[in-house]
């Protein structure tokens, strides 16, 4: 299990520096430190501990300075920044959308307002939100299909029915984005028109007896809206950089989101909740999984060494809305077992799966929620990429069989 903190001696050894240099890195904000836990006697210790993730990040920077080729090779895997963006910042354990704290937005603004912020930079910007649903088609989407797969079938139809689908002018794109988002919501709501706002529409269809669920669903959508250059958002930017329509770019994001290493993790979290079943079984189930070498989804995030703030908020809101419920007791027990056995807090996958379980929604709804929220962020990334007018075209370092030289023999 990866350690979260190192002693001063360990951190200095990892970096190959003197402890005085380590303290200088701390003073410059490159490494977070905090007082070490007191010993068994309970007295306060003057020793400090150092965040291991910060030490690893500095190690990577040192290696990259000495080997630029390696830096380029590792940039696409949690490495150095590969492009500039003004949309989302993840800093010091917090998430910001265009400078606004995302957690604060989740409790104070609608997903429509946050989408406008992501797309235009202004929370009070008035977007032309269409009231119509998806275009009619002689084909009917199979309601038995998972919602995210129906979204993938829907987008090409939307593109074909939109005479301005290939209009990439900055004035036109937000309108297309609004149509895409509302059409996806309409499909998720069983074809019901989007009235009274996106969250209210989902609440009426998914939890008609629980009006308070609208605020929970809105918070989940806002907190899912963007998360910097995750694999789906980067896919969207690649598609947009080729000059493809916005519909096609969002379709690329949907395809990537389903992966079991990305949004598809929520399905594994739902399966874990079923496996645990009762609060009293949480610790035993996690211990059994650890013994078998099986992964335990829903815990930890590399960008949040101190815990995913999105999950903390979603789970707190769920607890406040359903105090003492069986679902909340199960979530509390699972979190406690995860902290004890994994030394990790919950991430947004557990937050979304826990919220939908408390609402009594079917498996797969957590992924649907993330897809709907993340669509707002995908559209923002596509708009930003269109404005940059830059094709994303990295190079590969060839490691295959050397070609033969003219006349036979390997090329020298």
């Amino acid at each position: 299990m990866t350690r979260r903190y190192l002693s001063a001696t360990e951190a200095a050894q990892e970096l190959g520096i003197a402890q005085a240099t380590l303290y200088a890195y701390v003073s410059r904000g490159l490494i977070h430190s905090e007082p070490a836990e007191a010993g068994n006697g309970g007295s306060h210790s003057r020793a400090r501990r150092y965040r291991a993730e910060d030490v690893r990040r500095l190690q990577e920077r040192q290696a990259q300075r000495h080997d630029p080729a390696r830096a380029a090779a590792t940039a696409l895997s949690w490495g150095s920044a590969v492009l500039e963006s003004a949309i989302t910042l993840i800093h010091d354990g917090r998430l910001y959308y265009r400078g606004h704290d995302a957690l604060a937005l989740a409790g104070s603004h609608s997903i429509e307002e946050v989408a406008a912020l992501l797309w235009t930079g202004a929370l009070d910007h008035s977007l032309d939100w269409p009231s119509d649903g998806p275009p009619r088609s002689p084909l009917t989407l199979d309601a038995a299909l998972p919602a995210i797969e129906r979204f993938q079938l829907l987008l090409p139809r939307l593109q074909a029915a939109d005479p301005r689908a290939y209009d990439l002018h900055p004035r036109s794109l937000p309108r297309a984005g609004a149509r895409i988002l509302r059409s996806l919501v309409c499909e998720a709501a069983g074809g019901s028109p989007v009235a009274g706002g996106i969250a209210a529409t989902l609440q009426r269809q998914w939890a008609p007896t629980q009006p308070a669920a609208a605020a929970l669903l809105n918070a989940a959508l806002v907190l899912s809206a963007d998360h910097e250059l995750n694999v789906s958002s980067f896919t969207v930017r690649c598609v947009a950089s080729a000059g493809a329509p916005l519909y096609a770019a969002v379709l690329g994001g949907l395809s990537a989101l389903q992966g079991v290493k990305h949004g598809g993790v929520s399905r594994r979290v739902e399966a874990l909740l079923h496996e645990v079943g009762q609060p009293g079984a949480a610790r035993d189930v996690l211990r059994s999984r650890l013994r078998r070498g099986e992964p335990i989804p829903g815990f930890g995030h590399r960008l949040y060494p101190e815990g995913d703030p999105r999950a903390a908020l979603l789970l707190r809101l769920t607890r406040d809305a359903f105090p003492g419920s069986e679902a909340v007791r199960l979530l509390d027990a699972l979190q406690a077992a995860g902290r004890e056995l994994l030394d990790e807090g919950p991430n947004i996958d557990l937050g979304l799966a826990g919220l939908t379980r408390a609402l009594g929604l079917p498996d797969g709804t957590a992924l649907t929620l993330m897809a709907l929220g993340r669509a707002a962020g995908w559209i923002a990334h596509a708009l930003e990429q269109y404005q940059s007018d830059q094709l994303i075209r990295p190079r590969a370092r060839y490691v295959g069989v050397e070609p033969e030289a003219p006349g036979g023999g390997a090329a020298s």
Side-chain angles (χ1 to χ4, degrees):
M1 188 182 304
T2 303
R3 295 176 58 190
R4 294 173 61 189
Y5 291 96
L6 303 172
S7 68
T9 300
E10 291 169 332
Q13 288 176 346
E14 289 284 337
L15 293 168
I17 58 176
Q19 289 194 22
T21 305
L22 174 68
Y23 305 145
Y25 285 164
V26 172
S27 67
R28 290 161 55 190
L30 298 175
I31 297 177
H32 171 80
S33 79
E34 60 184 46
E37 295 179 357
N40 294 334
S43 59
H44 292 285
S45 171
R46 296 182 61 188
R48 300 186 69 82
R49 60 182 189 171
Y50 301 82
R51 187 184 290 163
E53 180 68 20
D54 294 344
V55 173
R56 286 191 290 271
R57 188 177 296 113
L58 275 176
Q59 283 180 308
E60 291 173 359
R61 289 174 56 179
Q62 289 175 342
Q64 289 166 2
R65 283 197 297 268
H66 291 95
D67 188 352
R70 179 178 180 273
T74 59
L76 296 181
S77 179
W78 303 91
S80 302
V82 296
L83 55 80
E84 295 181 347
S85 175
I87 300 171
T88 295
L89 171 68
I90 301 170
H91 176 68
D92 200 22
R94 303 293 290 183
L95 175 66
Y96 303 90
Y97 298 155
R98 294 196 183 274
H100 296 260
D101 189 309
L103 273 68
L105 291 173
S108 60
H109 290 79
S110 69
I111 182 59
E112 289 92 338
E113 292 172 311
V114 172
L117 171 68
L118 293 171
W119 301 349
T120 70
L123 267 171
D124 58 351
H125 186 82
S126 177
L127 284 175
D128 181 16
W129 289 95
S131 58
D132 60 320
R136 292 189 177 185
S137 169
L139 298 176
T140 301
L141 296 180
D142 185 352
L145 289 174
I148 196 166
E149 295 181 16
R150 300 202 307 273
F151 295 166
Q152 289 182 289
L153 295 173
L154 175 63
L155 283 170
R157 301 182 191 186
L158 291 174
Q159 179 176 318
D162 186 352
R164 294 184 294 185
Y166 291 85
D167 180 5
L168 304 184
H169 194 282
R171 285 196 303 269
S172 302
L173 287 168
R175 288 196 296 270
R179 184 164 186 254
I180 289 171
L181 184 54
R182 286 181 69 97
S183 296
L184 295 179
V185 171
C186 178
E187 180 61 37
S192 300
V194 180
I198 288 173
T201 299
L202 295 176
Q203 176 270 319
R204 285 195 303 272
Q205 179 65 25
W206 292 356
T209 63
Q210 303 178 72
L216 284 175
L217 294 170
N218 185 76
L221 292 167
V222 170
L223 294 173
S224 300
D226 195 50
H227 208 233
E228 202 214 55
L229 280 188
N230 51 78
V231 63
S232 59
S233 296
F234 189 65
T235 299
V236 167
R237 295 191 77 114
C238 289
V239 176
S241 79
L246 184 59
Y247 300 91
V250 174
L251 181 60
L254 283 168
S255 299
L257 186 70
Q258 295 183 72
V260 296
K261 296 182 180 180
H262 192 14
V265 172
S266 64
R267 295 191 181 109
R268 296 161 62 192
V269 176
E270 290 167 343
L272 175 63
L273 290 172
H274 285 298
E275 182 181 352
V276 174
Q278 300 295 326
R283 191 171 184 272
D284 288 341
V285 169
L286 264 58
R287 287 182 64 187
S288 295
R289 282 197 170 213
L290 287 172
R291 286 194 191 101
R292 296 191 298 266
E294 296 175 0
I296 299 176
F299 291 90
H301 198 295
R302 287 189 61 169
L303 297 181
Y304 301 112
E306 303 302 316
D308 187 340
R310 303 168 299 170
L313 178 57
L314 282 179
L315 291 168
R316 179 176 64 78
L317 292 174
T318 301
R319 187 179 300 108
D320 291 345
F322 303 98
S325 68
E326 182 70 14
V328 166
R329 292 196 300 112
L330 175 62
L331 291 168
D332 286 345
L334 188 59
Q335 290 178 77
R339 291 192 177 93
E340 176 191 353
L341 300 176
L342 309 174
D343 195 26
E344 295 281 8
N347 59 33
I348 193 170
D349 300 299
L350 181 55
L352 291 171
L355 183 154
T356 55
R357 185 181 180 94
L359 288 172
L361 301 177
D363 287 351
T365 310
L367 180 57
T368 302
L369 261 180
M370 176 170 276
L372 292 173
R374 191 59 55 90
W378 291 335
I379 292 165
H381 280 282
L383 267 59
E384 190 175 61
Q385 193 62 42
Y386 290 136
Q387 291 174 350
S388 75
D389 196 25
Q390 180 181 7
L391 178 67
I392 297 176
R393 205 307 188 182
R395 294 294 310 279
R397 182 164 58 89
Y398 182 71
V399 295
V401 176
E402 291 294 333
E404 292 186 356
S412 59

